[in-house]
Amino acid sequence: KAVINCFDSIFQLCQKVFASTSWEESIPALEGAMILLVNLAATTPSCHPLLLPLVLDVCVPIIEHPKSTDYARGNMILLLANLSMTQQQELRDMRVADPLLRLVLQDNVSGLRRSVAESVIIFLHGHEKCSEVDRLMEVNVVGEYCVPILEQSLERKEFRGMFPFLMYSTRLFHILAMCREYALTLIGDPRAVPLLIRASLHEDVAVRVDCDTEGRRFALQALACLVTHRAWPPAPGHRETVVTEFLARGLPGLQGDQHPGVRTAAAGLWVALHPMVKRVLDTLGQQVVADGRCLGCIWRGTILPFVFPSLAEVPLGAT
């Protein structure tokens, strides 16, 4: 709350610095304010609309300027990654993916310099086929970025100078899996599904944070998208042991998980794997409504989601 109260002063300082002709010399002095804003965006999503004016006035200039330090550039990309969790359309309208894509596609640019630029592009555009993500696919973003960052998240190890949270890593897979073409690319990497299964079951008792729960939920939703596209699972005779074990024991256990979001996502995956159940429920609902025993809006909005809560969810790409 104290930081939010000081936000206007921080914003005015940034504007004053960037109005000068030699603003790049002042970047080191701004680094404290930058990390403060990054942490604010990560912990307080309700303040995201307040931070949007900084995107074009501060974030993009720092990202694009050749004299910016990797630390400053990385913090601005992290700020965009946090904002992209709630302000997708606003950031799309600002076309923030354009400078990030140029950065990713530059030759001889270190991973530290790129930070999580690929994540921001995917968060904003990966739910449907587009030129931005097509370019990432051309440089093997799944094998060279998505899989490694998820591996490091599960191991709680460093990736490009930071320790990525599970939530941000599995969300990459969830968003890409919404688009059939990108979903098939995910399946093409043999490490992807085993990692998603591992992530869905992941629960570190020693370090339990809310973003881990969200990460497990995104992993289950990614698997459900793959099922919807009929890209997974393979026929019973061609399944790996990890898949067989997960479908037989892991998934049923997740439907009784202590976290509501995980239970909902697990039930959604089970429904995707058993589409006949959904069709039977739809038929039953039509009959109940036709007989006048229930209003259609109550069946669809209350009764059916009570049985399978995931059926009431709004797809991320629709936001």
Side-chain angles (χ1 to χ4, degrees), residues 7-311:
F7 177 76
D8 287 342
S9 299
I10 296 173
F11 185 45
Q12 289 172 9
L13 172 62
C14 292
Q15 284 185 316
K16 182 178 179 180
V17 169
F18 280 83
S20 67
T21 56
S22 58
W23 61 265
E24 64 274 8
E25 298 177 2
S26 301
I27 288 180
L30 284 175
E31 288 182 347
M34 292 176 191
I35 193 63
L36 185 64
L37 294 174
V38 171
N39 289 334
L40 180 65
T43 58
T44 315
S46 60
C47 79
H48 287 183
L50 295 174
L51 296 171
L52 282 177
L54 292 174
V55 171
L56 295 180
D57 292 340
V58 178
C59 295
V60 172
I62 289 178
I63 290 170
E64 291 192 306
H65 201 283
K67 292 186 179 180
S68 294
T69 64
D70 289 346
Y71 182 76
R73 183 180 291 103
N75 278 327
M76 291 300 93
I77 294 174
L78 282 176
L79 178 58
L80 292 178
N82 285 312
L83 293 178
S84 66
M85 301 295 284
T86 64
Q87 307 294 308
Q88 295 100 333
Q89 190 56 55
E90 290 82 358
L91 293 177
R92 291 186 200 112
D93 292 342
M94 295 178 188
R95 300 193 63 82
V96 299
D98 293 349
L100 295 175
L101 189 61
R102 288 193 292 270
L103 176 64
V104 170
L105 297 179
Q106 283 181 18
D107 293 330
N108 301 319
V109 175
S110 67
L112 188 63
R113 192 175 184 85
R114 291 191 179 103
S115 184
V116 291
E118 294 95 329
S119 288
V120 179
I121 297 169
I122 292 172
F123 289 166
L124 297 180
H125 299 284
H127 62 282
E128 60 185 4
K129 182 172 172 57
C130 62
S131 59
E132 292 88 352
V133 179
D134 284 348
R135 295 294 303 278
L136 292 181
M137 291 297 175
E138 290 173 3
V139 294
N140 190 23
V141 70
V142 173
E144 297 294 330
Y145 180 80
C146 297
V147 166
I149 196 173
L150 180 51
E151 288 175 332
Q152 298 302 90
S153 296
L154 289 168
E155 296 294 334
R156 299 195 183 280
K157 292 182 178 179
E158 186 175 333
F159 179 84
R160 294 186 179 178
M162 70 193 74
F163 292 86
F165 287 139
L166 188 65
M167 174 179 70
Y168 295 98
S169 302
T170 55
R171 190 168 187 256
L172 291 168
F173 289 80
H174 177 215
I175 293 178
L176 289 174
M178 292 179 180
C179 172
R180 176 172 173 76
E181 181 174 323
Y182 302 149
L184 294 177
T185 302
L186 288 177
I187 287 291
D189 191 308
R191 299 169 294 175
V193 167
L195 280 172
L196 287 173
I197 290 174
R198 181 182 168 192
S200 72
L201 300 170
H202 180 75
E203 190 162 18
D204 191 333
V205 177
V207 187
R208 185 176 295 170
V209 291
D210 290 340
C211 57
D212 277 357
T213 301
E214 284 296 285
R216 296 170 64 207
R217 181 172 70 87
F218 284 139
L220 289 164
Q221 290 176 327
L223 292 172
C225 287
L226 296 178
V227 175
T228 301
H229 293 308
R230 298 183 179 180
W232 183 82
H238 300 277
R239 293 176 183 173
E240 298 178 355
T241 302
V242 64
V243 174
T244 302
E245 290 288 327
F246 174 72
L247 295 178
R249 282 177 277 277
L251 183 57
L254 289 172
Q255 293 180 70
D257 195 89
Q258 62 177 317
H259 301 289
V262 174
R263 291 199 303 270
T264 296
L269 175 55
W270 190 89
V271 170
L273 289 164
H274 302 86
M276 181 59 71
V277 173
K278 175 63 166 55
R279 288 194 288 269
V280 170
L281 289 173
D282 286 340
T283 301
L284 177 61
Q286 292 170 5
Q287 187 61 51
V288 169
V289 172
D291 292 346
R293 289 179 286 172
C294 180
L295 294 175
C297 59
I298 294 178
W299 176 267
R300 294 187 300 272
T302 303
I303 298 176
L304 195 57
F306 180 80
V307 179
F308 291 109
S310 60
L311 298 179

